[in-house]
Amino acid sequence: MQTTFTPEQLKDPATARSNEILRACVHCGFCTATCPTYQVLGDELDSPRGRIYLIKDMLENDRPADEKTVKHIDRCLSCLACMTTCPSGVHYMHLVDHAREHIEKTYKRPLFERILRWTLAQILPYPMRFRLALLGAKIGKPFAFLMPDARLKAMLAMAPKTIPPVSRNDDPQTFPAVDKKMRVALMTGCAQKALNTDINDATIRLLTRLGAEVVVAKGAGCCGALTHHMGKTESSHAFAARNIEAWTAESEGEGLDAIVINTSGCGTTVKDYGHMFRNEPLAEKAAKVSALTKDVSEVLEQLLTRDLDFTTPQGDGGKPLHVAYHSACSLQHGQQVKTAPKTLLKRAGFRVSEPRDAHLCCGSAGTYNLMQPEISGELKARKVATLEERKPDVIAAGNIGCMMQIGSAASVPMVHTVELLDWATGGPIPPAIADFEPGAPRATAPPRLR
């Protein structure tokens, strides 16, 4: 794609990077075939190619974002399926991130949207605030029908039936390994600590059992992804900087072999810290943190170098439990980790299947299911239907957002991959399976979008 940025514009590192990305695009349109919003809406401007044209026009002319551009950029899930598909290697993630930052700086949203986005940014990254908000949503859930806006209804619907108690495993501390082989830092996250404490608990048990000393670093917290994808760069970099300093201290102290992340949406962002801070004083530290960061499945592949005595749970008919695996977009597209989780589950003896259109997003995408509930609901309905076609005993994924999204409508239990691996190697049955109530009311799918 030809661009006409001026030399003065290209002095800005973000613009220079966007120029590189735009020039790589050859207009081929392969991305439209795998873009979830294009599949649902059928609008060229809701495809990566269409959004690239809008972003190019906005940045090249150095103009404030307009309502049309904002509408279509907001509808982007940042699922990054287009990056997996693109034969030219267009790094759409960095381009859309720059566009969102530009929108945040130059476009004044309607008052209600500004309040909504500010509220989400002030609540979701903070576990205790989020817990209080979930409690309020739980109380208000029966009155959701009175809400005047679909986004407010979506926020009330997000409240889980039960809010787990705080897990003290998430406090800064060190968990010794059985037969120590490595030392890792575990990112405990933010929203995950409020929504599902079983995941970190299972991760710690599994890693220490397999030989990893696990440290929860003092000062580490939210990765910054939630505000990063809202274009709130100052906020997201502040979160990221605290993590970089916390993990650098651990690395320079007793040393780290990896920074382990069990929420793939966070993992994609932390692996990009090197790029985010490339022109800032923390550049060197950020690059080292990114290089150390691994999804939990990547670390488990390193640790499982020999066969263990797996005790695979049984499903119907005495067969090994049938797991339908949902590959989170941030894992398969953002990090290009595609086989490790499935390989680990198969090694543990589970029967593993994947849905049709496994490359398509479930519609969670950070705050997307709250800000774009109609599109998100359509994608959720499609994903749940294709997963349940496989007739699984349980559905597994590696990202809390996907788990909440799919689990709200699935008719079988929804668990994290590490919970199943923990169970198969001597841990307890995942509470989501033990407490599951067959036939319990689930979320209904919204009307299909036209």
Side-chain angles (χ1 to χ4, degrees):
M1 178 181 288
Q2 187 175 5
T3 60
T4 57
F5 289 100
T6 66
E8 190 66 26
Q9 285 177 306
L10 294 175
K11 289 180 182 178
D12 173 53
T15 302
R17 175 61 176 145
S18 290
N19 181 52
E20 292 173 0
I21 297 165
L22 289 166
R23 283 179 170 269
C25 179
V26 297
H27 320 272
C28 67
F30 283 8
C31 55
T32 61
T34 57
C35 175
T37 51
Y38 182 74
Q39 298 301 309
V40 169
L41 300 169
D43 187 334
E44 172 72 12
L45 294 180
D46 285 310
S47 73
R49 182 171 61 182
R51 293 184 179 111
I52 284 172
Y53 281 119
L54 291 172
I55 295 169
K56 176 181 183 292
D57 179 65
M58 177 177 68
L59 296 179
E60 209 169 48
N61 291 301
D62 198 19
R63 62 170 177 78
D66 57 27
E67 185 179 355
K68 177 182 176 181
T69 301
V70 172
K71 171 185 173 182
H72 295 291
I73 299 302
D74 280 356
R75 283 180 173 179
C76 175
L77 293 138
S78 284
C79 71
L80 309 181
C82 54
M83 285 178 56
T84 296
T85 308
C86 181
S88 302
V90 175
H91 204 298
Y92 180 81
M93 181 175 81
H94 290 164
L95 182 66
V96 77
D97 284 347
H98 182 201
R100 285 179 168 140
E101 182 181 14
H102 184 80
I103 288 169
E104 183 69 13
K105 289 177 179 177
T106 65
Y107 181 73
K108 189 172 183 179
R109 296 177 181 273
L111 178 61
F112 178 73
E113 281 197 25
R114 296 203 305 272
I115 293 172
L116 201 59
R117 292 166 71 87
W118 180 88
T119 301
L120 292 174
Q122 294 301 313
I123 291 176
L124 297 187
Y126 303 93
M128 293 312 297
R129 296 182 196 177
F130 193 21
R131 281 179 175 275
L132 291 173
L134 289 173
L135 180 60
K138 186 179 177 182
I139 294 169
K141 200 169 186 176
F143 307 102
F145 68 95
L146 297 174
M147 293 295 106
D149 188 275
R151 289 166 293 187
L152 294 177
K153 292 178 182 178
M155 290 180 189
L156 292 178
M158 183 183 183
K161 187 167 62 175
T162 59
I163 302 170
V166 173
S167 173
R168 296 275 63 102
N169 286 339
D170 292 330
D171 296 340
Q173 60 192 292
T174 298
F175 298 89
V178 176
D179 188 19
K180 181 178 173 181
K181 300 180 180 68
M182 63 168 62
R183 185 174 189 266
V184 303
L186 174 65
M187 179 176 182
T188 56
C190 51
Q192 181 167 281
K193 289 199 288 192
L195 291 166
N196 188 331
T197 57
D198 300 324
I199 299 170
N200 286 341
D201 291 348
T203 301
I204 292 165
R205 286 193 302 266
L206 182 59
L207 287 173
T208 54
R209 185 182 302 125
L210 297 178
E213 180 179 274
V214 178
V215 58
V216 178
K218 184 178 181 180
C222 175
C223 68
L226 289 168
T227 50
H228 181 65
H229 295 310
M230 290 184 187
K232 298 180 184 294
T233 301
E234 186 176 340
S235 171
S236 65
H237 280 218
F239 284 122
R242 286 193 284 271
N243 288 332
I244 291 166
E245 294 290 9
W247 291 327
T248 298
E250 288 293 341
S251 180
E252 292 177 349
E254 296 184 48
L256 290 175
D257 295 294
I259 297 164
V260 178
I261 301 185
N262 57 16
T263 298
S264 60
C266 301
T268 300
T269 296
V270 178
K271 286 183 177 182
D272 203 45
Y273 278 0
H275 172 78
M276 290 168 60
F277 285 83
R278 66 195 184 284
N279 298 305
E280 299 186 23
L282 283 176
E284 186 176 350
K285 290 181 179 179
K288 289 179 179 178
V289 163
S290 290
L292 276 173
T293 300
K294 295 182 182 296
D295 181 71
V296 63
S297 62
E298 296 178 284
V299 174
L300 290 173
E301 275 198 320
Q302 288 181 250
L303 290 170
L304 282 169
T305 55
R306 56 185 173 80
D307 290 331
L308 295 177
D309 293 326
F310 291 108
T311 305
T312 309
Q314 302 296 300
D316 293 337
K319 295 180 180 179
L321 206 70
H322 179 192
V323 180
Y325 174 69
H326 165 69
S327 185
C329 297
S330 46
L331 196 55
Q332 64 168 318
H333 303 308
Q335 300 181 49
Q336 294 294 306
V337 176
K338 299 180 180 182
T339 61
K342 294 178 288 184
T343 300
L344 290 164
L345 288 169
K346 289 175 183 176
R347 284 189 62 189
F350 294 100
R351 289 184 291 146
V352 180
S353 63
E354 286 189 278
R356 290 182 293 110
D357 295 331
H359 62 281
L360 288 179
C361 185
C362 70
S364 173
T367 60
Y368 192 91
N369 54 354
L370 303 178
M371 300 301 292
Q372 302 284 341
E374 293 88 359
I375 303 171
S376 173
E378 170 71 9
L379 292 171
K380 175 171 74 172
R382 293 184 181 201
K383 181 61 67 174
V384 171
T386 57
L387 283 162
E388 294 195 338
E389 277 180 358
R390 300 303 185 193
K391 309 291 184 188
D393 299 308
V394 63
I395 300 170
N399 187 55
I400 183 63
C402 303
M403 292 173 63
M404 297 299 297
Q405 176 85 339
I406 296 168
S408 69
S411 61
V412 295
M414 180 87 212
V415 299
H416 195 288
T417 307
V418 296
E419 293 183 88
L420 292 177
L421 295 171
D422 176 45
W423 189 17
T425 55
I429 181 173
I433 295 176
D435 301 336
F436 190 79
E437 300 175 16
R442 318 302 291 174
T444 55
R448 291 179 65 87
L449 294 170
R450 300 296 179 188

